[in-house]
Amino acid sequence: MVSPRLPEPLRPLRELAYNLWWTWNSEAVQLFRRMDEHLFEEVEHNVVKLLGVLDQSRLEALANDEGFMAHLERVLRAFHEYMQAPTWYQETYQRRLQTAAAPQGDGQVERSQDVPEPARVYQQQEGFGQAEFRIAYFSMEFGLHESLPVYSGGLGVLAGDHLKSASDLGLPLMGVGLMYRMGYFRQYLNVDGWQQEKYPENDFFHLPVLPELDKYGRPILISVPFPDREVYARIWRIQVGRVALYLLDTNVSQNSTADREITGQLYGGDQDMRIRQEMVLGIGGLRALDALGLSPSVCHMNEGHSAFLALERIGQAMEKYGLSFDEAREWVTAGNLFTTHTPVPAGIDLFPPGLVEHYLSAYLSRLKIDRHQLLALGRQNPHDANEPFSMAVLALKLSHISNGVSQLHGKVARRMWRGLWPQLPENEVPIIAITNGVHTPTWVSRDMNLLFERYLGLDWRNRLADHGIWKRVENIPDAELWRTHERRRERLVILARERLKWQLRRRGAPPAEIARAEEVLDPEALTIGFARRFATYKRATLILRNLERLDKILNNKDRPVQIIFAGKAHPRDHGGKELIAQIVHVARRPEFRRRIVFLEDYDYSLARSLVQGVDLWLNNPRRPLEASGTSGMKVAINGGLNLSILDGWWCEGYQTDNGWAIGAGEEYSDLNYQDEVESRAIYDLLEQEIVPLFYNRGGDGLPRGWIRMMKRSMQTITPVFNTHRMLQEYMERCYWPAWLHYAELYGGNLEPVRSLAAWRRKVMQNWSGIRIEHVEADHLEGIAVGQEIEVQARVHLGPLSPEDVEVQLYHGRVDSLGEIATPQTVSMAHTGALGDGRHLYVGYLLCDSSGQHGFAVRILPKPKNPINPLVFGLVTWG
């Protein structure tokens, strides 16, 4: 490895280049750009490569440039202040761990209510102090920056933003993924507009990644058990502010040629390749952390790709502590959580049973289970021998907490997976919702950042979820906000023209056609952006459905409108490729040549320019197939407005005065009719509301109504839909409860986990004998609001005791179908044993509203540990 020879004064540039903090600090970005702006663009903003290819004379000149050195000193000071500053985590959760075992003046120990006694025992015996509460965040892809092409789209970009906010907030979190030799494909179009793919190799030694080495300076290798062999992987590290991301690479000499290809391409190959990749990610990822001395207490699975890590954790717990499979499963599940991003079953990784049995054969003896028990872990119906093995089901069954990524997606996920809990009403399926966000400092433009610093305060980046900060947007003068936004739109148009000329030259277009690209788009026209993965359900061509009507909208002489499209279709998605070709063909028509553009090779850099420069962001998926979506959140930060179907995050973000909704959240069975209705709705909104509002200018030339909506959008969307709020919510609802439960089960020598496993086994074996024999209530006629009803129930528990169960009243208003739409529950009190396993319970219903009400009595398990009793799936109804 030959490193660039930096002059002594420039040595700190290497420290900055190998920490991606610089990518979300505009002053740091400008520092690297200042070194050689043309070369900075040529190396695609890869500053490690930039340092390696800069001419030595230029480096010497920079070292003697007082202005540049002052700039470097400012950036370096800001970086060191960032790395050492107190964080949100330190000031909240870490303080709880510190005070949990801190000796007081009288020699006593303060007892924090937030850290129960068993967790303190675990903390002391296992060394789980303030630094050892560790969260490992596993994801198949991480979108951190355009210089690191190991991501494909939204899932990866969300994962990257997750790490950046974890760094800002100071969470003890590590990322785990795969280091792809070729990453995701680069896109180009042929003469007919059909997508083509190429896979350039990543040169790891010109990327901001460093190998993890042992004390002898050799790469650390871990192994994953495969049939008849071990597959080895080395570990690379990417530093993301305070957070480390560890990526595994199987391209090592110890592996066969076939196994070296496991980390060749992201989402490449067939099912056989996918299961091998997911074994390396989940099993290998966990082993990599162990090898680095960073064993996690909480594992977060971002989608089901990494779910095999749960089997590895169970195996480790059995071997280290002598636990049975059931006992180890209880403990491991307590420390796992799972985020699903998929609203349709087709998006789930499913593997044939034979393939799973083949690759995981080593785990049968290790976990002391048979093939049926193994396959049952990945099936909704454990008794269906033909059901494929689902990675999402495996993750759901072996996670303490599971969540969807928007409130609507939470409902969709509960409907999708209710088969795992057939006795529960859909609304009680134990899948919560935590709505996605974006890392605001990454996606805000430099121009808008300067504006925020001037009017929101220098500390605005540290208070992203503070609504009070964003109310100050009102203080930004309309003229200044509009001029800032217009500069961004103008830069976007310049970029689009340059990229279009590059596309035409690559395609061998004649000089006259390339020259005409300078006339494409108008820097002052209302600019609509549509850029995302070209899956068919996202309906990229919906706005092209009536070209005659679209022509009148786009080519209005006094009120022109233009559309910029970008996006990739999956290499095997011919439907998505056809949508791209259709857009390209429409864009070549004479009436649309200057108004519609498709930009090739949509990536992180182009996405940033688009969300920072468009006036309006169009999003029209088929509801409810958009789990969340985040691009519209990035647009709002930069003053753009959203025009979207009420799906994903927009159901929560839309407030009538901060953007536009297409329809009212309807769902259709006739898809052609849906496309017709919703395309007409887009045209109507453009003609009647959006275009007039944009072009309605006062005497000063400002669109005051549009600016008012821009400000409202920033105020309502930005403080809510950011990853700082999202991470704080994960911490409060997932990471911290999971850690407490995991630590509490350790207790003294894991006695609580053994006790819990024995209790669950007893309950499972005897649950079929539970029944509700009789229910009676007084005065069910002529009830007035405010009156209380006494309900008595006689139940048969058999060998189980009242301490093992909770008897509840499930009640609420009844709809026209006789269903309780928004139920409430009340615990019933045990009032006496009647002998022969029978018990009497009594409860009281308060009738706090008028109308028709209903109730039922039901029995649930009642674990002594902080487990949601609904996850057991055991319910007996009266």
Side-chain angles (χ1 to χ4, degrees):
M1 175 61 190
V2 180
S3 299
R5 195 177 68 207
L6 295 176
E8 186 63 36
L10 299 185
R11 293 283 172 84
L13 285 170
R14 179 177 168 84
E15 180 185 7
L16 291 172
Y18 278 91
N19 191 313
L20 294 186
W21 169 86
W22 75 265
T23 64
W24 71 89
N25 183 283
S26 58
E27 277 297 299
V29 174
Q30 290 305 114
L31 175 73
F32 285 114
R33 187 179 290 277
R34 182 174 178 173
M35 296 181 76
D36 187 320
E37 184 149 8
H38 174 74
L39 199 54
F40 183 75
E41 294 297 332
E42 193 173 291
V43 299
E44 298 179 306
H45 310 163
N46 180 349
V47 297
V48 171
K49 190 171 185 179
L50 177 71
L51 296 180
V53 298
L54 263 176
D55 188 78
Q56 199 67 33
S57 61
R58 176 58 180 163
L59 293 172
E60 296 292 345
L62 288 169
N64 293 300
D65 183 332
E66 291 184 8
F68 180 82
M69 292 308 300
H71 192 170
L72 171 58
E73 187 177 340
R74 283 198 311 275
V75 170
L76 201 62
R77 185 166 57 249
F79 172 59
H80 289 150
E81 286 174 357
Y82 172 88
M83 296 296 285
Q84 296 160 13
T87 65
W88 173 82
Y89 170 76
Q90 288 173 328
E91 293 172 355
T92 51
Y93 291 91
Q94 192 174 70
R95 188 170 297 168
R96 300 181 193 179
L97 289 173
Q98 289 170 333
T99 59
Q104 302 304 295
D106 57 0
Q108 298 298 310
V109 175
E110 179 184 351
R111 293 309 185 206
S112 167
Q113 293 181 347
D114 295 309
V115 184
E117 181 65 32
R120 277 192 291 274
V121 172
Y122 186 48
Q123 179 179 319
Q124 294 159 4
Q125 293 188 10
E126 288 291 297
F128 258 66
Q130 61 201 41
E132 285 75 23
F133 165 40
R134 296 195 187 99
I135 307 154
Y137 180 80
F138 288 74
S139 182
M140 198 74 167
E141 51 175 304
F142 286 89
L144 293 158
H145 189 250
E146 54 268 29
S147 63
L148 280 161
V150 290
Y151 65 94
S152 71
L155 179 75
V157 172
L158 174 77
D161 283 7
H162 196 107
L163 297 192
K164 292 173 184 176
S165 272
S167 171
D168 291 344
L169 296 172
L171 267 62
L173 184 143
M174 312 162 286
V176 182
L178 300 180
M179 189 67 193
Y180 301 101
R181 197 176 79 253
M182 289 182 284
Y184 206 50
F185 68 89
R186 304 294 296 266
Q187 177 199 54
Y188 66 98
L189 306 184
N190 66 15
V191 176
D192 196 41
W194 193 257
Q195 175 182 290
Q196 308 290 305
E197 299 90 27
K198 57 182 178 180
Y199 292 87
E201 289 207 13
N202 289 322
D203 180 358
F204 295 177
F205 297 97
H206 274 134
L207 295 177
V209 301
L210 292 169
E212 286 294 321
L213 307 175
D214 64 18
K215 61 183 179 181
Y216 303 108
R218 299 172 304 198
I220 295 174
L221 290 181
I222 59 94
S223 66
V224 178
F226 274 52
D228 304 320
R229 68 192 187 280
E230 294 284 316
V231 170
Y232 295 89
R234 69 184 299 184
I235 309 167
W236 298 88
R237 175 171 53 84
I238 298 172
Q239 200 62 38
V240 187
R242 301 178 178 97
V243 166
L245 168 61
Y246 299 101
L247 302 175
L248 299 185
D249 168 23
T250 63
N251 186 23
V252 295
S253 58
Q254 289 84 351
N255 289 333
S256 67
T257 303
D259 288 337
R260 292 177 75 153
E261 287 299 316
I262 291 174
T263 55
Q265 289 182 19
L266 172 60
Y267 302 136
D270 54 13
Q271 284 189 316
D272 188 84
M273 175 59 78
R274 288 296 289 273
I275 196 170
R276 286 189 283 152
Q277 285 187 333
E278 295 181 7
M279 288 177 68
V280 172
L281 173 62
I283 299 167
L286 197 66
R287 292 185 175 195
L289 296 180
D290 293 340
L292 296 170
L294 298 171
S295 299
S297 47
V298 174
C299 289
H300 184 173
M301 296 173 267
N302 189 41
E303 259 307 342
H305 306 120
S306 60
F308 289 138
L309 73 84
L311 301 180
E312 176 65 17
R313 289 190 88 184
I314 291 171
Q316 290 181 3
M318 292 173 68
E319 291 162 358
K320 183 175 181 181
Y321 296 102
L323 299 175
S324 69
F325 173 80
D326 289 340
E327 291 165 348
R329 176 180 175 175
E330 291 288 355
W331 193 31
V332 165
T333 300
N336 287 344
L337 62 122
F338 168 54
T339 297
T340 174
H341 296 259
T342 309
V344 289
I348 302 295
D349 276 340
L350 300 174
F351 295 119
L355 194 66
V356 175
E357 194 177 349
H358 172 70
Y359 276 106
L360 294 179
S361 55
Y363 278 85
L364 295 178
S365 57
R366 189 178 176 200
L367 302 181
K368 300 176 183 175
I369 57 176
D370 60 34
R371 60 180 298 276
H372 300 290
Q373 289 172 292
L374 173 67
L375 294 173
L377 291 171
R379 288 171 169 165
Q380 289 199 63
N381 180 0
H383 306 295
D384 182 357
N386 296 315
E387 184 179 336
F389 188 94
S390 165
M391 296 298 285
V393 170
L394 179 65
L396 285 163
K397 287 186 175 183
L398 297 181
S399 294
H400 176 47
I401 301 167
S402 300
N403 73 283
V405 290
S406 70
Q407 298 306 308
L408 177 59
H409 180 235
K411 295 178 182 177
V412 172
R414 287 189 285 274
R415 188 182 314 141
M416 268 182 70
W417 299 115
R418 66 176 304 179
L420 286 169
W421 297 274
Q423 294 299 315
L424 291 178
E426 186 177 296
N427 66 293
E428 287 191 317
V429 168
I431 299 175
I432 64 172
I434 297 179
T435 303
N436 282 345
V438 298
H439 185 248
T440 307
T442 290
W443 298 102
V444 69
S445 70
R446 182 168 184 261
D447 310 73
M448 199 62 75
N449 175 57
L450 294 172
L451 205 60
F452 289 166
E453 288 183 354
R454 193 174 305 130
Y455 292 101
L456 274 59
L458 293 174
D459 198 38
W460 74 269
R461 287 166 166 248
N462 296 322
R463 301 172 63 186
L464 292 174
D466 184 345
H467 286 263
I469 286 288
W470 294 100
K471 286 180 181 177
R472 298 178 190 173
V473 167
E474 284 296 341
N475 300 333
I476 304 175
D478 287 359
E480 200 167 348
L481 178 61
W482 187 244
R483 280 199 304 271
T484 299
H485 179 64
E486 285 198 306
R487 279 198 303 273
R488 293 305 316 174
R489 187 195 316 116
E490 185 175 358
R491 286 176 192 162
L492 174 60
V493 168
I494 292 169
L495 172 75
R497 289 172 176 172
E498 288 300 314
R499 285 187 75 120
L500 188 58
K501 285 191 288 186
W502 172 81
Q503 291 171 199
L504 291 169
R505 277 195 294 268
R506 186 196 51 73
R507 212 177 291 152
E513 186 179 353
I514 296 171
R516 283 199 300 270
E518 283 291 352
E519 304 168 7
V520 167
L521 304 178
D522 178 347
E524 297 183 357
L526 169 60
T527 303
I528 301 172
F530 184 101
R532 51 189 39 85
R533 183 166 55 91
F534 264 61
T536 51
Y537 78 87
K538 293 178 184 282
R539 298 187 296 175
T541 58
L542 191 63
I543 197 170
L544 308 181
R545 193 171 174 91
N546 186 332
L547 293 179
E548 185 178 344
R549 193 171 177 185
L550 183 64
D551 180 19
K552 292 177 182 176
I553 294 171
L554 300 192
N555 289 304
N556 184 308
K557 186 163 64 78
D558 301 316
R559 295 178 168 182
V561 179
Q562 56 201 14
I563 311 172
I564 301 176
F565 288 96
K568 296 177 177 179
H570 188 279
R572 292 192 292 271
D573 183 1
H574 287 274
K577 291 183 177 183
E578 285 170 0
L579 296 179
I580 293 172
Q582 184 183 343
I583 291 168
V584 171
H585 291 164
V586 170
R588 288 175 180 169
R589 294 171 59 150
E591 65 270 33
F592 296 121
R593 187 181 58 79
R594 296 182 64 244
R595 296 287 179 229
I596 298 177
V597 171
F598 184 90
L599 300 181
E600 295 176 19
D601 203 26
Y602 182 48
D603 67 355
Y604 209 98
S605 177
L606 179 55
R608 202 165 47 235
S609 296
L610 284 166
V611 299
Q612 292 174 359
V614 298
D615 299 296
L616 187 71
W617 195 252
L618 177 62
N619 185 39
N620 43 235
R622 293 195 194 281
R623 176 186 162 113
L625 301 184
E626 187 80 84
S628 173
T630 57
S631 54
M633 305 172 190
K634 299 161 190 166
V635 170
I637 299 164
N638 291 287
L641 299 178
N642 279 275
L643 167 62
S644 178
I645 295 286
L646 286 170
D647 197 9
W649 79 278
W650 191 233
C651 298
E652 302 160 57
Y654 174 61
Q655 294 187 14
T656 71
D657 60 352
N658 65 351
W660 292 273
I662 304 166
E666 302 91 348
E667 296 177 21
Y668 297 78
S669 56
D670 185 335
L671 301 186
N672 188 58
Y673 176 67
Q674 178 183 7
D675 290 350
E676 184 61 31
V677 168
E678 292 177 345
S679 64
R680 284 204 305 264
I682 293 172
Y683 298 137
D684 290 343
L685 286 166
L686 287 170
E687 292 166 343
Q688 298 165 23
E689 296 188 35
I690 297 170
V691 175
L693 187 68
F694 183 85
Y695 283 105
N696 185 11
R697 311 292 171 96
D700 55 6
L702 296 177
R704 298 281 181 180
W706 187 275
I707 295 169
R708 187 162 54 249
M709 190 174 275
M710 287 171 65
K711 289 183 174 181
R712 183 65 182 152
S713 173
M714 287 179 175
Q715 290 172 325
T716 56
I717 293 172
T718 310
V720 179
F721 299 97
N722 63 78
T723 41
H724 278 38
R725 184 274 312 156
M726 183 186 86
L727 261 292
Q728 288 170 341
E729 199 171 341
Y730 271 114
M731 189 67 194
E732 291 155 11
R733 300 180 66 188
C734 302
Y735 296 151
W736 187 251
W739 143 249
L740 289 182
H741 184 31
Y742 184 79
E744 191 169 356
L745 286 178
Y746 178 85
N749 196 26
L750 284 162
E751 212 39 59
V753 82
R754 291 185 171 92
S755 175
L756 176 60
W759 176 82
R760 186 197 285 252
R761 192 160 49 247
K762 178 183 73 171
V763 169
M764 296 286 287
Q765 288 171 352
N766 293 287
W767 195 261
S768 59
I770 287 182
R771 57 185 181 273
I772 298 169
E773 296 183 334
H774 181 70
V775 176
E776 64 179 49
D778 60 351
H779 310 300
L780 290 182
E781 301 296 331
I783 302 166
V785 172
Q787 189 172 334
E788 205 170 52
I789 302 172
E790 180 180 285
V791 180
Q792 291 187 355
R794 187 172 72 244
V795 304
H796 179 267
L797 301 181
L800 300 180
S801 71
E803 288 74 33
D804 295 324
V805 301
E806 180 174 6
V807 182
Q808 292 180 342
L809 286 170
Y810 180 92
H811 70 99
R813 294 192 60 164
V814 173
D815 61 21
S816 59
L817 299 176
E819 300 290 337
I820 299 176
T822 54
Q824 297 174 287
T825 58
V826 175
S827 290
M828 300 181 74
H830 180 253
T831 58
L834 303 176
D836 197 23
R838 290 175 169 78
H839 300 265
L840 192 62
Y841 284 80
V842 65
Y844 297 90
L845 294 179
L846 177 64
C847 301
D848 56 2
S849 63
S850 60
Q852 187 178 30
H853 291 247
F855 73 89
V857 175
R858 69 177 184 180
I859 306 175
L860 298 172
K862 187 180 180 181
K864 297 176 179 63
N865 305 85
I867 307 174
N868 178 356
L870 299 175
V871 301
F872 291 91
L874 298 174
V875 189
T876 295
W877 292 88

